[in-house]
Amino acid sequence: MSKLWGGRFQKPTAELVRKFNDSLPFDVRLVDEDIRGSMAWARGLVGAGVLTPHEAQTLVDGLAQVQQEFTAGQFAFAPGDEDVHTAVERRLTEIVGAVGGKLHTGRSRNDQVATDFRLWVMGAVDALLLHVAHLQEALIASAEANLHTPMPGYTHLQHAQPVTWGHWILSHFWPLQRDTVRLVGVRDMASELPLGSAALAGTAYPVDREFLARELGFTGVSQNSLDAVSNRDFAADFLYAAALIGLHLSRLSEQLILFSSSEFGFVRLDDAYSTGSSLMPQKKNPDTLELTRGKAGRLIGSLTGLLATLKGLPSSYDKDLQEDKEPLFDAFDTLEVVLPVMTAVISTLMLRPERMAAQLEPTLLATDLADYLVKRGVPFREAHHLVGQVVQAGEERGVPLTALALADLQAISLHFGADVLTVFDVATSLASRNVTGGTGPDALQEQVMAAKTAVK
Ligand code: ARG
């Protein structure tokens, strides 16, 4: 027996078609999941009265040996091995003899591959959760080390209001926390057992599917066999979660690239995590961050590629579905590198608070000046307009707001008093923003606590 389905054919498959059809080169990656699934199926067949306990044990032992051969790198592929399912069954039958031919009773590769793939996704989610948590911990550590270090905050990439490094870096923590929640949701979505659906109509043997689910760590069983063999929502969910992680990391990368430029100079990348130029001796390039930013495109592409594959597919299995695996493998492999790289970049990042401080020019406090007027009874809209005039006066004279004389301010509004200079203080501005989620010192302490609790 070299093929699973040769019986009704009078001609061998064309070599070109064989290569085109084979998925072994990539789905061999599902070998552990395939063997686990087959072991459970063998046990399930005992309950259904198809196998004796002894036969099932022979199959389970044989599968364990196949597993060992794979782990030891000793598995020899044969020409008829079309995909991982075929390869495992072929080798199993070589090892255990004719009883190996009983394993596939009541099962199809359609419910088999859906089961394997879901198991793989659940494992991949767990691995990614760990990588994300490590990055989150690095972000918290960076925040704590410079929690109250002031820096300019930007909207539209223009000076807006003072914030602190701790607040800024934690703004990249929370997106990852949402990614964590999303990943847990992906695992839930994947955790519905398709096995027992057979090719499309449900297996003809009374297999206890709840038992199979428990054996394999699924939380429930699918309710419609046609849907179960074609449902790849969990795969799209995985890619969406992966694409968003990529997107979040690209935003962090972009901002750090900017902050490490000569113009900003807020941070310096560690030598170990930057690269040089072959031509310009002075160059220190943030390639790690640029690549991370670039990989987001690839992750988004994997998601849209899979969605396009799935669109318009009839329910039940269609071979298009074989295209589902590579984008997920690629997305996982991408994130398995990108996340640790980002963690290392953050852990080794050198801050230059003096460069941040040098950018804290007084117009960043214009809102505080408006708030000063509000406290003296001026309606905010009017205060906004008056401070706009103050800014204009400063620009006309070519001096910072702080250099305007009280008389100049009072020419604009008599609500400006001698105490107005107290407004021109970054620490005062920061201290006033202690609402939950704000950049004020007490709020930041709370935020760090909340972040630590979230990541636990
Ligand atoms: N290699 C196939 C896949 O990855 C397995 C299922 C094949 N089923 C079939 N009826 N040809 O989707």
Side-chain angles (χ1 to χ4, degrees):
M1 184 214 83
S2 64
K3 246 187 189 180
L4 281 181
W5 42 262
R8 60 106 70 220
F9 289 82
Q10 290 184 347
K11 276 188 185 175
T13 313
E15 185 54 16
L16 195 59
V17 172
R18 193 191 58 72
K19 274 205 188 119
F20 184 51
N21 192 52
D22 282 4
S23 53
L24 186 64
F26 52 88
D27 70 17
V28 66
R29 202 164 163 165
L30 298 175
V31 69
D32 288 351
E33 290 78 10
D34 196 69
I35 289 174
R36 273 168 66 200
S38 285
M39 286 176 168
W41 185 245
R43 295 192 177 105
L45 286 179
V46 177
V50 174
L51 296 179
T52 66
H54 178 73
E55 286 174 321
Q57 195 53 50
T58 305
L59 292 178
V60 169
D61 293 345
L63 286 163
Q65 188 182 325
V66 177
Q67 171 83 72
Q68 258 173 14
E69 291 178 2
F70 262 101
T71 312
Q74 285 163 355
F75 188 93
F77 294 101
D81 292 348
E82 180 179 321
D83 51 26
V84 66
H85 326 292
T86 331
V88 168
E89 193 184 324
R90 189 260 313 151
R91 181 67 192 130
L92 172 68
T93 306
E94 285 169 6
I95 295 169
V96 302
V99 64
K102 293 193 176 186
L103 175 64
H104 212 55
T105 313
R107 185 178 71 166
S108 157
R109 280 180 297 161
N110 298 352
D111 59 345
Q112 192 179 354
V113 71
T115 304
D116 294 1
F117 200 23
R118 281 169 179 269
L119 284 172
W120 182 87
V121 164
M122 290 192 268
V125 161
D126 288 341
L128 288 184
L129 281 171
L130 263 184
H131 286 303
V132 171
H134 288 149
L135 174 54
Q136 286 182 296
E137 278 157 10
L139 293 172
I140 293 176
S142 174
E144 280 194 297
N146 278 280
L147 197 58
H148 306 297
T149 301
M151 65 183 273
Y154 302 82
T155 59
H156 312 264
L157 260 185
Q158 310 293 317
H159 275 188
Q161 291 178 335
V163 294
T164 75
W165 175 265
H167 198 51
W168 175 77
I169 194 103
L170 287 177
S171 74
H172 290 279
F173 170 93
W174 297 104
L176 292 168
Q177 188 54 31
R178 296 191 290 275
D179 290 329
T180 296
V181 173
R182 238 182 312 274
L183 282 171
V184 171
V186 173
R187 192 173 45 196
D188 280 353
M189 279 294 185
S191 185
E192 191 180 271
L193 180 84
L195 198 58
S197 301
L200 76 163
T203 186
Y205 301 85
V207 176
D208 181 350
R209 297 187 64 214
E210 303 286 348
F211 162 81
L212 292 176
R214 281 194 303 278
E215 281 279 293
L216 291 169
F218 286 85
T219 53
V221 304
S222 58
Q223 296 299 315
N224 182 299
S225 56
L226 292 167
D227 175 44
V229 293
S230 55
N231 175 4
R232 295 294 184 274
D233 291 3
F234 67 95
D237 288 339
F238 180 89
L239 288 178
Y240 177 61
L244 271 190
I245 294 172
L247 184 151
H248 292 147
L249 297 185
S250 81
R251 297 180 60 199
L252 173 56
S253 297
E254 167 64 10
Q255 227 165 346
L256 287 175
I257 291 166
L258 209 57
F259 286 175
S260 69
S261 66
S262 310
E263 283 69 19
F264 278 84
F266 290 178
V267 300
R268 256 199 213 109
L269 291 195
D270 191 274
D271 278 358
Y273 296 98
S274 5
T275 34
S277 155
S278 59
L279 190 142
M280 299 164 281
Q282 88 284 8
K283 288 302 287 288
K284 178 167 157 182
N285 294 330
D287 290 34
T288 42
L289 295 169
E290 294 166 271
L291 265 176
T292 300
R293 188 176 57 187
K295 297 283 185 193
R298 184 183 178 120
L299 291 162
I300 293 166
S302 292
L303 170 64
T304 55
L306 180 71
L307 292 176
T309 297
L310 298 177
K311 178 191 169 295
L313 284 189
S315 71
S316 176
Y317 183 82
D318 300 278
K319 191 69 172 215
D320 316 44
L321 291 169
Q322 185 165 284
E323 288 293 306
D324 62 356
K325 287 169 257 332
E326 287 161 292
L328 273 81
F329 293 159
D330 187 76
F332 178 75
D333 292 344
T334 300
L335 288 179
E336 261 223 314
V337 177
V338 161
L339 283 163
V341 165
M342 186 57 99
T343 304
V345 167
I346 297 294
S347 315
T348 56
L349 196 65
M350 284 158 292
L351 301 202
R352 302 171 75 192
E354 73 291 352
R355 295 277 311 208
M356 301 176 195
Q359 289 301 326
L360 291 168
E361 38 88 21
T363 48
L364 284 157
L365 300 166
T367 314
D368 299 80
L369 199 56
D371 290 336
Y372 168 93
L373 291 176
V374 167
K375 281 185 197 129
R376 275 146 197 83
V378 182
F380 178 75
R381 265 305 135 229
E382 195 184 327
H384 184 281
H385 185 76
L386 293 170
V387 174
Q389 291 182 324
V390 173
V391 171
Q392 200 187 16
E395 271 176 11
E396 267 165 19
R397 270 160 246 198
V399 297
L401 295 191
T402 35
L404 290 171
L406 182 56
D408 296 328
L409 295 178
Q410 286 179 335
I412 292 167
S413 168
L414 286 172
H415 286 101
F416 287 117
D419 57 349
V420 69
L421 279 181
T422 59
V423 168
F424 290 116
D425 180 45
V426 169
T428 310
S429 169
L430 291 172
S432 67
R433 296 187 155 73
N434 266 321
V435 65
T436 300
T439 194
D442 299 343
L444 272 173
Q445 298 288 358
E446 277 174 40
Q447 188 180 167
V448 169
M449 293 304 291
K452 285 183 174 173
T453 309
V455 85
K456 233 187 251 159

